[in-house]
Amino acid sequence: MKDIKSSKEITTYVSDLGVSKATYAPIKTRLLAMLAGMFIAIGGIASSKVNLLLADSPFKSIFAAATFTIGIVLVLVAGAELFTGNILITVGYLDKKLNKKQVLTNWCRVYVWNFIGSILFALLTYLALKDSEDYANYFKNIVVSKTSLGFFKALILGILCNILVCLSVWCSYASSEGAGKFLLATFPIFIFVLMGYEHIVANMFYFTVGYLFGSDVSVWTAILQSFIPVTIGNIIGGAFIGMVYQIANKN
């Protein structure tokens, strides 16, 4: 890879990109966020397939984690707006190029449309696999597992997840080449999936499919025990990365 940007150059780039993202036309943000929800869902269903195929293998987690990375590659190379990555808009805010309303509007809009994209792909996935008992049990067990973590653990796993996701996004900006972005982005994502950290957009897909297959975990439990703590954790983890680099490189 050539022409790798320095840490300071990446910080400036992220700051300016955050301004651009926060001022997109609403329809552009919605469409690209919908695609991001679908792209992460593609990673989710691919890794699920690997987990089922290698159910008895000690290496299934490694292969499943590697497969999931296609989601972030699609987001970064094909182009899409992902809530967890957009937490890095914090850099533009700290540089006083954006106000709170612009940041929160972007986050809320991207979050909602990531969910819409996830639901769309989850519905198609369910229609394709609805006769499979293996998939039904797999996704229903995911819902049970994720809602059994407890609020605090889900929060911590959300923080850890988005530290890695935002490092993935951050490192991808060091290269303008597609192959470079792929190599720089995949390893942090591989680690977060391997370690079982919690990513809110991936969970949008997993929970939707789980409920379509008939999970009996209440929606209220899912919101309180997973969606709220994981969302907060993802915001904290991503904002931490953006804040540290902004402070370190502002002079």
Side-chain angles (χ1 to χ4, degrees), residues 54 96 239:
L54 303 179
K96 296 182 170 54

Side-chain angles (χ1 to χ4, degrees), residues 4-214:
I4 295 294
K5 295 184 179 70
S6 69
S7 177
K8 188 168 185 177
E9 287 173 329
I10 297 172
T11 304
T12 300
Y13 177 81
V14 171
S15 179
D16 292 340
L17 182 62
V19 175
S20 177
K21 286 175 175 286
T23 54
Y24 281 165
I27 185 63
K28 180 176 181 177
T29 300
R30 293 184 182 109
L31 291 174
L32 292 179
M34 180 182 68
L35 285 178
M38 295 178 67
F39 293 165
I40 297 301
I42 289 171
I45 190 58
S47 64
S48 298
K49 178 67 173 181
V50 171
N51 274 318
L52 286 172
L53 286 174
L54 303 179
D56 299 322
S57 170
F59 303 107
K60 70 173 184 178
S61 296
I62 295 173
F63 288 109
T67 305
F68 186 91
T69 61
I70 186 60
I72 197 68
V73 171
L74 290 172
V75 168
L76 294 172
V77 178
E81 292 293 293
L82 182 64
F83 171 75
T84 46
N86 276 27
I87 301 303
L88 289 174
I89 288 176
T90 304
V91 177
Y93 171 75
L94 293 173
D95 282 338
K96 296 182 170 54
K97 298 175 183 177
L98 295 168
N99 58 46
K100 290 179 182 178
K101 181 179 179 181
Q102 289 173 307
V103 172
L104 293 175
T105 297
N106 177 269
W107 287 357
C108 290
R109 185 172 289 148
V110 171
Y111 189 98
V112 169
W113 282 83
N114 281 172
F115 210 162
I116 291 171
S118 299
I119 291 171
L120 175 60
F121 198 86
L123 179 59
L124 294 172
T125 297
Y126 170 72
L127 292 174
L129 303 173
K130 64 180 180 179
D131 296 325
S132 170
E133 186 175 345
D134 288 342
Y135 278 105
N137 291 332
Y138 177 82
F139 284 109
K140 287 193 287 186
N141 286 337
I142 285 181
V143 174
V144 172
S145 175
K146 288 180 177 291
T147 53
S148 300
L149 292 171
F151 189 97
F152 182 72
K153 185 174 182 178
L155 175 71
I156 297 301
L157 293 177
I159 293 172
L160 291 168
C161 171
N162 216 31
I163 286 174
L164 286 164
V165 171
C166 284
L167 284 173
S168 168
V169 173
W170 193 275
C171 289
S172 78
Y173 293 148
S175 174
S176 58
E177 300 175 335
K181 287 183 179 293
F182 176 86
L183 291 172
L184 293 166
T186 52
F187 287 105
I189 303 301
F190 171 81
I191 294 169
F192 112 63
V193 180
L194 183 65
M195 295 304 297
Y197 299 154
E198 291 289 303
H199 187 273
I200 188 58
V201 181
N203 284 1
M204 292 171 181
F205 168 71
Y206 289 130
F207 274 83
T208 302
V209 179
Y211 281 119
L212 288 170
F213 272 116

